Amino acid sequence: MNRETVLLVDDEKEIVDLLDIYLRNEGYTLLKAADGREALALVEAHPVDLIVLDVMMPHMDGIAACMKIRESRHMPIIMLSAKGQDIDKITGLSIGADDYVVKPFSPLELLARVKSQLRRYKMMQAPQPAKENEIVIDGLTINTSTHKVTIEDEEVRLTPREFAILELLARNRGIVLSMERIYQEVWNEPFMESNNTVMVHIRKIREKIEKNPGDPRYILTVWGIGYKIE
């Protein structure tokens, strides 16, 4: 049986109740929301593997909700809409939806699309064996031979010092490294207590590799101790 969680977002209760029956019969866990605001709150509070998202809803429509979700989440999103024109489909897909279903639709067709999207997502999420001389951490790839760094296959250009710091943290994944140790290993000279060079370089690295440098995904600060990559 399936264990994935599907979030149904639609203000038409009849549609939600119908899909609830079909999806629960397949073993999925269901969450429900009547508008985009409720959907965002549920996504923040619960792990969600796939979202079925209606376009036309009160308070916050599906387009706005999809764009907001895509700022930080990558799970599949299937849009529902009574509009069937090509421009509407293009709009939905261009702002981050993975599939688009026009109302009225067959519940069995939607169920098949849910299964297909979840299969594809699982394959994409499956860990890939790292190539020789590569360190791979959750979408971040560091090639220690070419000094090339990519985030989700997008190249990021680092200075030699920035690369050395990132490589050092990555090779010691899960270990907190003090600013003193980082400085001594990268600059190869004694560390001065008043020296904020490491902190400045960490900030610059975050600006290049983090989507939100103020809430970093990769380089974490352990206050009073130093930095680590989890």
Side-chain angles (χ1 to χ4, degrees):
M1 295 291 282
N2 299 296
R3 294 182 180 178
E4 294 93 345
T5 297
V6 175
L7 171 58
L8 298 177
V9 190
D10 199 316
D11 60 333
E12 295 185 55
K13 187 176 183 299
E14 296 81 4
I15 290 179
V16 171
D17 289 345
L18 179 62
L19 294 178
D20 180 292
I21 295 170
Y22 280 85
L23 290 167
R24 286 189 189 278
N25 283 343
E26 291 295 321
Y28 294 106
T29 299
L30 271 296
L31 297 173
K32 303 175 189 179
D35 59 59
R37 291 179 185 174
E38 290 183 14
L40 293 178
L42 287 172
V43 168
E44 289 296 325
H46 303 276
V48 175
D49 298 293
L50 180 141
I51 302 175
V52 178
L53 182 62
D54 187 38
V55 172
M56 301 299 293
M57 294 181 295
H59 307 304
M60 177 185 284
D61 65 26
I63 297 296
C66 182
M67 293 175 66
K68 188 66 178 176
I69 291 167
R70 280 291 179 252
E71 291 179 3
S72 59
R73 301 292 198 279
H74 304 286
M75 77 283 281
I77 297 177
I78 300 176
M79 302 289 287
L80 302 179
S81 178
K83 298 180 178 180
Q85 297 181 3
D86 288 341
I87 187 63
D88 298 312
K89 295 180 182 180
I90 292 170
T91 299
L93 296 172
S94 65
I95 53 91
D98 298 277
D99 203 352
Y100 190 102
V101 179
V102 179
K103 296 179 179 179
F105 56 84
S106 163
L108 289 175
E109 177 192 354
L110 183 65
L111 180 60
R113 291 176 184 250
V114 166
K115 291 180 178 178
S116 175
Q117 288 296 331
L118 285 172
R119 279 197 303 269
R120 186 177 64 84
Y121 185 61
K122 283 182 182 178
M123 291 176 62
M124 291 176 61
Q125 294 296 104
Q128 300 296 320
K131 299 177 182 177
E132 188 177 358
N133 301 320
E134 280 191 353
I135 304 172
V136 181
I137 302 173
D138 192 21
L140 168 67
T141 302
I142 304 165
N143 190 304
T144 58
S145 295
T146 63
H147 283 208
K148 180 179 179 180
V149 176
T150 59
I151 300 289
E152 307 294 351
D153 296 326
E154 292 287 334
E155 185 172 359
V156 177
R157 296 190 178 278
L158 301 182
T159 67
R161 295 281 195 204
E162 291 167 353
F163 182 89
I165 293 172
L166 183 63
E167 180 184 358
L168 177 64
L169 290 169
R171 287 190 182 279
N172 292 275
R173 184 176 183 181
I175 299 173
V176 182
L177 303 184
S178 66
M179 286 196 291
E180 180 179 0
R181 178 178 172 185
I182 295 171
Y183 187 86
Q184 289 175 346
E185 293 204 25
V186 173
W187 276 266
N188 197 28
E189 59 184 56
F191 176 76
M192 304 282 293
E193 280 297 328
S194 60
N195 193 336
N196 66 352
T197 302
V198 172
M199 184 171 61
V200 171
H201 278 71
I202 292 289
R203 185 177 71 244
K204 291 180 178 178
I205 296 169
R206 282 174 170 162
E207 289 172 353
K208 295 179 180 181
I209 71 170
E210 302 283 1
K211 178 177 287 188
N212 181 3
D215 184 18
R217 170 184 177 188
Y218 296 109
I219 302 179
L220 307 180
T221 300
V222 181
W223 296 107
I225 304 177
Y227 303 95
K228 70 173 179 177
I229 290 181
E230 193 59 75

